[in-house]
Amino acid sequence: MDELNVLSIQALPITKPRQINNELWFHYITPPVDNQIQADILRSITITEKGATDGHIMLRRIKGVDAKDFFQDSNRVYISTNNGLYCYDNNVSSKQSPFNTFISELTFKNDSAATYNDLTVSTNYTTIEIPFRSNEIRIIPSASDYYDNNELKFAYYLEGKEEEYGNWSKIPVITYNNLHEGNYKLHLKSRNVMGQEGKEITLAFTILPPWYRTIWAYLIYTLLTAGLFWTVIQLNSRRLVEQNIKLEKIITDRTKTIAHQKEEIEHKNQEITDSINYAKRIQDAILPSVKDIKKIWTDTFVFFQPKDIVSGDFYWYNKINEHEFLIAAADCTGHGVPGGFMSMICSDKLNEAAGLSKTPAEVLHYANNAIKLALKQSEEENVTKDGMEMALVRVNTQTKKIWFTGANRPLWIIRGGSTELEEIKPTKASIASNTPSDFQYQSHEVQLSKGDSIYMTSDGYPDQFGGAKGKKYMTANFKKFVLSIKDESITRQHNLIKDNINDWMKGFEQVDDLLVIGIKL
């Protein structure tokens, strides 16, 4: 084996390593930490094919020397150092004798009587009880090791305060301050210069609680607290009796007042409800009769379910001749009473517009101008944002031709025998509101055949919340449902559309008016 010039372990070599038999002998100093040398020792390493292992651990006893060289003579190795010549006999057994860890001295603060000396593993003692004023412990550790007491290292932990052993250290005194009352057990072990650990010693002791946290103190606290509560309760009981007498009189007087106010509110609510019901009768009178619509074309249904007593959605119908009519699904701003007012205004203006033209695009054009004028909406200063969305269709039942114009509401077509739903997009503008005067709406002319169906709807149906997750029904789901019932009769379709949305929103409030119109040619 060649001599090594550099030792590749975290160390600074002092001398050239020397091979003796199958071992490598050397002296090294570990790199300093915070300018302090951590180890300055002799060492031997046995080198095999599997690696290197520590050799003679007894060499650790020789420290603080500047080794110059190593020489072998038979079973002896001579080490020349700056302190002289050392002879190491390889025949001497390196087997170490077991040793014990013990406590040289144990003291507690402010208690000179509580001092214990030379506590060993075999020492018999009862559990040490220490008053709370002496809750500082001071331990001087030691061990029965004969090699080098100055190189003893200790590891310890205090059960009841810590969970595991700390690092090994040369600590002369172990101190714990301000211990809380409770049961503790000190675990202490030692390690000599050879790395051998001594037998662990444990020491149990109890820190007694201070007098104000003893059972007797808590019992006194409880009695005092109970007495205080009893006194307070008695005083409060007297005060409460007096207050109850006053409150009973106040409650009696206020009950009479509330009863009178309740009667007035109920009366006013009834008047308001009666007024709204009357408004509903007026709105119902303005709405066309579904029977009149069916007289010109039987295969027609109108599903109309207002959110409140009166509605912002409405359907509109105008007969042109025995084979032609105009029909619309309209959605005004708002619902309830405000929506009801808007629906009556818009329905009236549609009637006026139908008197000027029977073309859907022109009807919406005239209605837009008339509603803006009625609501005093000018382009210079748009006072209100109210308006209307609508799908308007002119139907010729003889030729099966339709003309459609939409204001933000589309038209759906399902042709006979088809499995797809066609959608005619509306003009992206409402009627009134922000739409300018003299705005022109787009017209669509579509030739249909016998068995084809058309559908118009407000946004209330797809926007309704319900189902297992409380989500909106959505337009895509409504289209799929309409496709699934396309082969049913018109009356059956009406009932299925009604039952479907009411089943969907079970447990949820209706959020908007519902309006769907269907015609099968």
Side-chain angles (χ1 to χ4, degrees):
M1 181 186 302
D2 296 330
E3 291 184 351
L4 300 178
N5 292 319
V6 177
L7 184 61
S8 58
I9 58 175
Q10 293 181 343
L12 301 175
I14 301 301
T15 62
K16 289 185 178 180
R18 179 73 65 184
Q19 180 181 346
I20 299 176
N21 297 329
N22 62 338
E23 296 174 338
L24 188 66
W25 292 57
F26 57 91
H27 166 233
Y28 79 99
I29 301 175
T30 56
V33 177
D34 297 331
N35 297 322
Q36 295 293 324
I37 293 176
Q38 303 298 302
D40 180 5
I41 60 176
L42 297 174
R43 188 175 176 185
S44 70
I45 295 177
T46 301
I47 300 175
T48 65
E49 293 180 354
K50 296 182 179 180
T53 59
D54 267 331
H56 303 276
I57 60 174
M58 290 293 182
L59 286 174
R60 298 180 184 178
R61 298 182 63 186
I62 306 174
K63 302 183 299 299
V65 297
D66 183 5
K68 302 302 183 181
D69 209 342
F70 303 88
F71 305 95
Q72 183 181 17
D73 179 19
S74 185
N75 286 324
R76 291 184 177 87
V77 176
Y78 295 93
I79 307 167
S80 63
T81 72
N82 61 335
N83 289 341
L85 184 66
Y86 289 85
C87 177
Y88 187 90
D89 192 344
N90 285 327
N91 291 328
V92 176
S93 174
S94 61
K95 183 177 180 182
Q96 302 180 59
S97 301
F99 63 96
N100 294 322
T101 305
F102 66 90
I103 296 174
S104 179
E105 183 179 287
L106 169 66
T107 57
F108 293 89
K109 182 182 72 173
N110 300 328
D111 195 345
S112 58
T115 300
Y116 302 86
N117 296 308
D118 299 329
L119 296 175
T120 64
V121 177
S122 59
T123 302
N124 293 322
Y125 61 90
T126 58
T127 300
I128 302 172
E129 292 185 346
I130 303 299
F132 187 76
R133 68 175 184 277
S134 302
N135 63 345
E136 178 178 316
I137 183 174
R138 182 175 180 274
I139 303 121
I140 299 178
S142 189
S144 60
D145 177 60
Y146 63 87
Y147 284 122
D148 191 344
N149 284 338
N150 292 327
E151 294 299 321
L152 282 174
K153 291 185 178 180
F154 299 94
Y156 60 92
Y157 76 97
L158 186 60
E159 185 179 336
K161 180 179 176 65
E162 300 162 337
E163 296 183 355
E164 60 183 15
Y165 275 102
N167 296 327
W168 293 98
S169 63
K170 297 179 183 180
I171 182 168
V173 178
I174 301 170
T175 303
Y176 285 98
N177 299 318
N178 299 320
L179 293 175
H180 198 268
E181 66 263 24
N183 298 319
Y184 297 93
K185 180 182 282 190
L186 176 69
H187 295 258
L188 177 65
K189 59 184 180 179
S190 58
R191 188 174 71 182
N192 65 14
V193 69
M194 303 303 174
Q196 181 186 6
E197 293 185 13
K199 188 174 182 180
E200 179 193 55
I201 183 173
T202 60
L203 174 69
F205 62 92
T206 299
I207 302 294
L208 299 176
W211 67 267
Y212 52 84
R213 285 206 290 262
T214 60
I215 294 176
W216 287 106
Y218 287 125
L219 181 59
I220 293 172
Y221 300 154
T222 303
L223 292 175
L224 290 174
T225 303
L228 179 62
F229 272 112
W230 184 85
T231 303
V232 172
I233 289 171
Q234 292 300 314
L235 293 174
N236 280 338
S237 296
R238 289 183 184 180
R239 184 172 55 83
L240 289 174
V241 169
E242 295 174 357
Q243 287 182 347
N244 284 339
I245 295 172
K246 294 179 182 178
L247 287 174
E248 285 178 2
K249 185 178 182 306
I250 294 172
I251 290 171
T252 301
D253 294 340
R254 291 187 178 179
T255 301
K256 293 179 181 179
T257 303
I258 292 171
H260 178 68
Q261 291 175 343
K262 181 175 179 290
E263 290 177 2
E264 290 183 348
I265 292 171
E266 287 178 348
H267 179 69
K268 290 180 181 179
N269 284 341
Q270 187 60 47
E271 288 182 344
I272 293 171
T273 303
D274 292 343
S275 298
I276 295 174
N277 284 326
Y278 189 76
K280 174 177 172 55
R281 289 197 294 273
I282 296 174
Q283 187 180 47
D284 289 344
I286 293 174
L287 290 174
S289 169
V290 177
K291 290 182 179 180
D292 292 341
I293 300 174
K294 285 181 173 287
K295 285 179 182 179
I296 191 170
W297 192 252
T298 305
D299 283 342
T300 303
F301 78 80
V302 177
F303 168 59
F304 181 52
Q305 183 172 302
K307 176 186 185 299
D308 302 307
I309 298 175
V310 290
S311 170
D313 288 10
F314 70 95
Y315 54 96
W316 180 82
Y317 165 80
N318 182 270
K319 181 179 177 181
I320 300 174
N321 54 53
E322 293 301 321
H323 302 294
E324 286 187 288
F325 61 91
L326 292 168
I327 190 167
D331 183 357
C332 295
T333 304
H335 48 72
V337 174
F341 276 114
M342 280 296 299
S343 69
M344 287 188 285
I345 294 172
C346 293
S347 177
D348 179 61
K349 297 308 175 184
L350 280 173
N351 289 330
E352 292 180 6
L356 299 174
S357 174
K358 302 299 182 183
T359 302
E362 293 181 356
V363 170
L364 295 194
H365 167 75
Y366 291 132
N368 176 59
N369 293 341
I371 294 170
K372 289 178 71 67
L373 183 63
L375 297 178
K376 298 181 180 179
Q377 295 176 341
S378 64
E379 294 181 6
E380 292 79 14
E381 184 178 356
N382 198 345
V383 179
T384 65
K385 300 295 183 181
D386 300 308
M388 172 175 61
E389 296 180 347
M390 173 184 286
L392 174 61
V393 178
R394 176 176 175 174
V395 180
N396 188 313
T397 59
Q398 195 171 38
T399 63
K400 304 297 186 291
K401 182 179 288 187
I402 65 169
W403 293 263
F404 163 71
T405 297
N408 282 335
R409 298 308 306 163
L411 177 70
W412 295 347
I413 300 175
I414 302 178
R415 299 184 185 272
S418 174
T419 59
E420 295 182 356
L421 183 148
E422 301 176 25
E423 179 177 283
I424 301 179
K425 301 291 183 182
T427 302
K428 294 297 182 181
S430 61
I431 299 171
S433 185
N434 292 322
T435 304
S437 300
D438 297 327
F439 181 80
Q440 300 297 325
Y441 294 87
Q442 186 177 3
S443 179
H444 302 270
E445 181 179 330
V446 183
Q447 180 64 55
L448 299 178
S449 303
K450 181 177 176 60
D452 294 349
S453 301
I454 61 173
Y455 299 90
M456 294 173 285
T457 177
S458 66
D459 60 4
Y461 202 106
D463 286 348
Q464 177 59 47
F465 290 95
K469 298 182 178 180
K471 295 184 176 181
K472 287 185 178 182
Y473 188 72
M474 304 303 289
T475 301
N477 291 326
F478 190 25
K479 288 180 178 180
K480 291 178 183 178
F481 181 74
V482 171
L483 271 172
S484 70
I485 63 172
K486 65 183 180 62
D487 295 327
E488 303 289 344
S489 67
I490 280 294
T491 302
R492 176 68 174 158
Q493 287 187 33
H494 173 272
N495 294 333
L496 289 172
I497 286 175
K498 176 183 177 181
D499 293 342
N500 177 61
I501 194 63
N502 284 303
D503 289 341
W504 170 261
M505 65 179 177
K506 278 183 179 177
F508 294 85
E509 180 185 0
Q510 183 175 330
V511 298
D512 201 356
D513 303 318
L514 304 177
L515 174 61
V516 182
I517 298 175
I519 301 172
K520 180 177 283 189
L521 296 174

